[in-house]
């Protein structure tokens, strides 16, 4: 499991809510809920947090969203 350093976690903020992030398994999770009432989750790839809002992450990764390239 990729681990984000405590120093990095202390300065990272959720780009959607502005709240601190905590690591839960292989994801970073906002400490406050977003507009939809859910906490925002971000993946970690090769030890690098992917801090794009979920709707932008899907658009930025056409392999994960095959209809985006059609």
């Amino acid at each position: 499991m990729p681990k984000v350093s405590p120093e990095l976690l202390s300065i990272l903020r959720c780009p959607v809510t502005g709240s601190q992030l905590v690591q839960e398994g292989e994801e970073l999770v906002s400490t406050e809920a977003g507009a939809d009432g859910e906490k925002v989750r971000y993946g970690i790839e090769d030890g690098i947090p992917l801090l794009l809002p979920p709707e932008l992450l899907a658009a930025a990764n056409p392999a994960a969203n095959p209809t985006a390239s059609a």
Side-chain angles (χ1 to χ4, degrees), residues 4-26:
V4 177
S5 74
E7 294 84 11
L8 181 57
L9 273 178
S10 72
I11 60 172
L12 288 178
R13 296 291 179 265
C14 172
V16 174
T17 66
S19 65
Q20 287 186 309
L21 296 166
V22 294
Q23 186 165 359
E24 292 182 5
E26 295 188 19

Side-chain angles (χ1 to χ4, degrees), residues 32-55:
E32 295 180 13
D36 62 358
E38 298 287 325
K39 291 186 176 180
V40 187
R41 298 181 167 274
Y42 301 95
I44 302 169
E45 191 171 301
D46 297 325
I48 301 169
L50 304 175
L51 297 180
L52 285 174
E55 60 276 4

